[in-house]
Every structure is written in structure tokens, then in C-alpha cells.
Amino acid sequence: MYVAVKGGERAIENAHAWLAEERRGDTAVAELSIAQIREQLSLAVNRVMAEGSLYDPDLAALAIKQARGDLIEAIFLIRAYRTTLPRFGASHPIETGKMHCERRISATFKDAPGGQVLGPTFDYTHRLLDFKMAADGEVAEAPQGPATGQDVPHITEFLNQEGLIQTESQSDDTPPDLTREPLELPANRALRLQSLTRGDEGFVLGMAYSTQRGYARNHAFVGELRIGVVAVEIDIPELGFSIDIGEITVTECETVNQFQGSKTEPAQFTRGYGLVFGQTERKAISMALVDRALRWEELGEDNVGAPAQDEEFVLMHSDNIQATGFLEHIKLPHYVDFQSELELVRKIRAEAVEASALRAAQEAAE
Amino acid sequence: MTAQNDRKVWMSLLAKSPVTDLKRLWEGFEGAQPGAQSHVWLRAPEIGGVMVRGRTGATGAPFNLGEMTVTRCSLKLPGGEVGHGYVQGRDKDHATRAALVDAHMQTAQSEAIRRGVLDPLEETMRATAETRARKAAATKVDFFTLVRGED
């Protein structure tokens, strides 16, 4: 039996009114603008774009404001908005080799051509609270150096020249799209990467960390980590040629992993790959480690039963919107479901009481 | 450079241009024209998404990275020139200005627009990118080896 329950309208309206007031906070404190969030909380904006799977810094900033800083709620808002957009097409694959790098480091080669460029990083800060920031907002202009304007080559290219690292298989196939077709398993690598790049940062980080602690260890080195701006190119059907449709910042991580060899092939390094919207390096490194762990079958490794090797476990639990949707729905009214359980338990208990009373009566009679 | 290549270059520039810079330059140019021309819409501005792709390992098979917002429109000038506007983001006025520039680039005004709008726009964007590149360059590590021991 389905019973519709009504009557919460006024309570809901009033709850929303109070939510709006609490969101605004103390009106004696200046209100945050979308531009302030976009410019000054840019790493939160980046995370919302990456996991919301929509590159639009203004929208992500609006979502963060609306969600009172709850990033998963903000990601939810972006995902919902994304579904309303007509799809104009798909871009040519972005060329990260032509990236205008703002950060580019290698943990494997000190003297990598193109150099070690630190960029605006938290690394090497002391992680001490800076009370000056609570006082004034003046910042000195960052120093400038001579820029070469040249493309920065990928580190793995050098290893590849010597045949020391496994080559990526070439293809121009249209990749599967989990925003159009439900995720089906087994997934190919393209589908896994799409799932991981929009997956929850905390979950992907935890999975990656588990491989480092020994659950399907694959000895990852960060061959290269680069952050910068790339152009996005699409074909314009009405013109019959392609144009750059915009520029986006992405983070790319290539790991160089444990080598393997066989009777027919000499030992060589293998790779893991991470590519994420925005400046999101923790996520990109995590993605590369998990990508590598999920490739066990293709690379002829043993399945040691580690969580990070389990495609079903990783891909079906990495999406924080699916997870939060299912998790949080249990707080919504389940009055009827629960009523039936309650009646069942009462009935079982009553039967048990009756049975024991009967037994006691029989014992007394004997 | 062929005409098509030329158009590809200016449309790419307009798509990536900052809203405020294109607005300032286009309004400066348009304001200097006697009697602004009206246009008719072939496709009114609409907001949509483009799926951005990457490649596994930067060089392998394509995969879907996520979408980005794009606004597009098409219009026709009284002279029959058709302009297409494609810009990053959700600003319909920005897309309209891009389409107007594209259409007017096919008229006798093209040289004036190149000088008054496209060249300064390119220069502004180049300077912004250059500044960031120079800041990145200043964070490049210069390794040096400390000499240890006697010999």
C-alpha cells in the first residue's frame, strides 16, 4: 500500500527562508561576491569544476556560495545544471604537450629539459598559520623571469625514445561517455579515466594511498606533474573547419611505475595517467596511481584482491553525487517502510511471547 | 595565409577573449562608425556544453574529461555577410560581439577591425599570458652542487 503524506509545505518554506538567512550570516559582515570566490577560493572552484564535470569558474563559484561552502552540495548543483545544457559537440583531444605550463616538475629527472618549474605551490611552505593574512590583504607582486615561450616536452617521451617505457596504444576511437550511457563493467581504460577524473577526491586519494601502503603496490614515481593552460579545439560544422573554442587550466600527472618483462619482452616501465580540470594536483596524482592499479589485467599482473584493483569497487563508489544521493536519502521519510518493519517485529515478538507462555503453562501442568 | 585559415585564427582569438576587453574594443570601434548596421539572427545566442577530451598518457586513445560551457550564435548583416560567434562561457552579449566581428571582417571594414579590435585584443591576451609565463619562469629551479670533501 502506498500512502501519500502531505502537510510539510509551510515547514519546508520556513526552513528554506532560514537557510537563506543562515547562508548570508551576520549582515554586519560584507557579503561575498561570486568574483571573490572565483578569484580567492580558486582551488575550491577547481575541485567543484573537476567533480562537477563542467569547466565554468563563475558557475562553480556561484554553486559554492549557494551551498554555503559545502563542496559536495556545490558539485551536485553543477551536475544538475550540466544536464540541462545542449551538447554542441566534443573537442579534439587536448594537446598537453603544447600546454603553457605554470608548474612542471619531475621526481625522476633532476635535469629534465624544460626544467623544474615550481609554480604557485604550497610545497615548501611551513604549514604555519599566517596571521598576517587576518590583518591586511596587501601582496607583493611575484617576481618575473625570462620565459622561453617554447613547448615543454613530456618526460615520458625521453624514456620512450629508449624503449624503456611501455607505449600508449594509439587510437582515434570515439570514447564511451558515462554521462550518456550508464557505466557498464568491465570498463575500458577510457571509461575508467572519465570516471576517475570526476570521482571524489577523498575517495580516489584513499584508494591511491592504499596502493602505496601495500594493497596492490605498484611503486609509482611521479615522472611528471604539469599544470597549465591548454586550448580546446572543436570542429564547427557550419564552417567546415575547427577553431579554438576556449582555454582551460588542467593538471596532468604521468607516473612511471614498476617495470615488468616477460620471456618475449625485455623489462620496461609502465605508466599511470591522471588528467583533471583546474589546479588539482593531489587528485591528478591519485588518479594516476589508481589508473595504474586498475590496469593489472592488461599488464599481466596478479589480482591480489586489493580494493584498488577491483574495478567494480572503485568505479561504483568513486562518484560522490551517487554516493551522497543514496546515503542521504535514508534521512527522508520512510514512515511506511518502517511501519511495516515495526509491525513485523511486534508480530514476531508477540508470537514468541505466546509460545513461551504456552510452554510455561505446559510445564506447570506436567 | 589562406582566407579560411585567417578566419580560423580570428574566430579562435574571439572565442578565448576576455569579455571586458572585447566589449571595450568593439564598442570603441562601433561607436566610431556612422549609423550602426542592424543584423538579423540566423541562430539566436544559445548556451551549451562541449565535451572536452584528453588522451590516455597524453598520446594514446581519447577519453572524455568533462564538459565546458560555450555560447554560440549566428547572424546576418544587411549586406548578406554571415557571422558566427563561438565563445567560452555563458555570456550571450559576448557571443554576439564575436559574431558581429566575424561578419564585419568579411566587409570592406576588415582592415579597420583588424587594426582597431583584433590586433589590440591579441596583444592584450598575449601580454597576460606572457606575464604568467614570466612568473612561472621565475620559479624554475637552478640546481647547483655543493662541493664536498677535500679534492
Side-chain angles (χ1 to χ4, degrees):
Chain A
M1 187 177 61
Y2 179 77
V3 186
V5 183
K6 288 175 76 76
E9 288 94 339
R10 203 181 59 202
I12 291 170
E13 266 173 34
N14 293 347
H16 289 174
W18 196 19
L19 166 65
E21 200 179 278
E22 289 287 298
R23 175 192 292 126
R24 175 61 184 86
D26 184 352
T27 50
V29 178
E31 187 180 350
L32 261 180
S33 72
I34 303 301
Q36 284 172 331
I37 296 171
R38 186 193 63 219
E39 297 300 314
Q40 297 173 38
L41 296 177
S42 52
L43 299 191
V45 167
N46 286 182
R47 182 171 174 190
V48 170
M49 294 196 300
E51 294 171 34
S53 206
L54 184 68
Y55 197 99
D56 188 317
D58 289 298
L59 274 185
L62 171 64
I64 290 168
K65 181 172 177 171
Q66 188 178 333
R68 305 175 65 188
D70 178 339
L71 296 190
I72 291 183
E73 181 72 17
I75 291 159
F76 198 163
L77 294 169
I78 292 298
R79 290 272 187 97
Y81 176 83
R82 193 203 64 77
T83 61
T84 68
L85 289 176
R87 174 85 56 92
F88 291 167
S91 79
H92 296 187
I94 54 173
E95 291 187 48
T96 52
K98 291 194 158 55
M99 180 187 287
H100 298 298
C101 293
E102 295 180 352
R103 172 165 167 77
R104 188 272 200 153
I105 52 170
S106 170
T108 51
F109 294 104
K110 179 167 74 71
D111 298 312
Q116 307 270 355
V117 176
L118 302 180
T121 178
F122 290 128
D123 294 356
Y124 318 109
T125 63
H126 294 104
R127 265 70 181 221
L128 297 173
L129 279 174
D130 180 0
F131 291 99
K132 280 206 303 283
M133 251 181 230
D136 63 53
E138 289 296 308
V139 227
E141 181 136 9
Q144 300 189 12
T148 62
Q150 284 166 351
D151 289 344
V152 183
H154 277 111
I155 301 281
T156 45
E157 275 175 30
F158 304 114
L159 285 171
N160 213 357
Q161 281 164 9
E162 287 182 68
L164 291 177
I165 193 161
Q166 150 259 341
T167 316
E168 292 293 352
S169 52
Q170 301 293 311
S171 126
D172 276 314
D173 294 346
T174 302
D177 183 355
L178 60 79
T179 68
R180 292 298 164 98
E181 305 284 337
L183 179 64
E184 280 192 25
L185 301 174
N188 63 14
R189 193 166 171 215
L191 195 57
R192 295 200 299 252
L193 290 174
Q194 182 184 15
S195 176
L196 289 173
T197 192
R198 73 212 295 267
D200 182 77
E201 179 173 315
F203 180 85
V204 182
L205 169 65
M207 282 289 123
Y209 181 45
S210 75
T211 69
Q212 291 186 294
R213 288 196 63 252
Y215 293 87
R217 189 191 297 279
N218 53 43
H219 299 275
F221 293 98
V222 172
E224 180 169 357
L225 178 74
R226 56 168 69 194
I227 303 175
V229 177
V230 290
V232 180
E233 189 177 356
I234 57 165
D235 290 323
I236 306 293
E238 57 267 37
L239 293 173
F241 58 84
S242 65
I243 65 165
D244 288 351
I245 191 62
E247 282 178 330
I248 60 174
T249 298
V250 294
T251 303
E252 180 183 56
C253 175
E254 291 188 274
T255 56
V256 176
N257 299 66
Q258 193 167 58
F259 53 85
Q260 53 149 27
S262 64
K263 287 198 178 88
T264 52
E265 283 184 66
Q268 65 178 177
F269 290 108
T270 57
R271 328 168 178 235
Y273 189 63
L275 183 67
V276 186
F277 279 159
Q279 181 178 343
T280 41
E281 70 182 53
R282 185 186 302 116
K283 170 73 173 285
I285 300 169
S286 302
M287 177 176 168
L289 262 60
V290 177
D291 169 48
R292 177 59 185 79
L294 289 171
R295 299 181 66 197
W296 65 272
E297 197 166 12
E298 162 199 352
L299 296 172
E301 293 170 340
D302 291 334
N303 181 351
V304 296
Q309 289 180 311
D310 186 336
E311 178 177 271
E312 201 277 341
F313 185 83
V314 174
L315 301 188
M316 289 301 187
H317 301 114
S318 64
D319 191 296
N320 52 27
I321 301 309
Q322 278 174 9
T324 204
F326 197 64
L327 183 108
E328 294 198 39
H329 102 279
I330 63 172
K331 74 192 172 185
L332 298 175
H334 280 67
Y335 306 140
V336 178
D337 282 1
F338 187 67
Q339 187 72 29
S340 72
E341 301 242 328
L342 196 61
E343 274 173 26
L344 188 62
V345 173
R346 280 188 181 135
K347 198 171 148 212
I348 294 168
R349 287 176 62 92
E351 281 168 6
V353 169
E354 214 170 278
S356 68
L358 197 65
R359 261 200 313 279
Q362 277 170 352
E363 277 166 20
E366 282 162 14
Chain B
M1 197 187 282
T2 65
Q4 180 182 312
N5 244 335
D6 220 11
R7 192 173 186 194
K8 177 181 164 123
V9 170
W10 81 59
M11 286 188 72
S12 298
L13 182 75
L14 292 165
K16 294 183 283 190
S17 67
V19 176
T20 49
D21 292 322
L22 180 59
K23 183 170 192 284
R24 174 176 49 81
L25 292 164
W26 175 247
E27 284 174 355
F29 173 83
E30 208 183 23
Q33 305 303 308
Q37 291 181 311
S38 57
H39 60 263
V40 291
W41 290 117
L42 300 177
R43 175 158 61 201
E46 59 172 339
I47 298 169
V50 164
M51 177 54 89
V52 181
R53 289 185 178 148
R55 285 190 187 278
T56 55
T59 54
F63 70 95
N64 291 308
L65 180 61
E67 284 165 283
M68 63 184 274
T69 51
V70 169
T71 305
R72 69 178 176 189
C73 65
S74 302
L75 49 80
K76 191 156 82 172
L77 298 182
E81 297 85 2
V82 172
H84 298 288
Y86 272 84
V87 293
Q88 179 170 10
R90 289 163 296 110
D91 192 322
K92 292 181 176 179
D93 293 338
H94 190 42
T96 307
R97 284 189 282 268
L100 283 169
V101 171
D102 182 45
H104 281 93
M105 278 302 287
Q106 299 161 59
T107 69
Q109 290 174 305
S110 63
E111 269 317 301
I113 292 178
R114 193 181 290 280
R115 279 195 310 275
V117 180
L118 296 179
D119 289 349
L121 191 60
E122 188 174 8
E123 177 51 28
T124 307
M125 288 160 65
R126 196 201 54 74
T128 307
E130 167 86 12
T131 303
R132 290 191 75 83
R134 292 176 63 84
K135 285 179 183 172
T139 68
K140 189 166 165 178
V141 180
D142 282 323
F143 287 106
F144 57 90
T145 310
L146 295 172
V147 180
R148 300 176 68 183
E150 296 290 303
D151 47 350

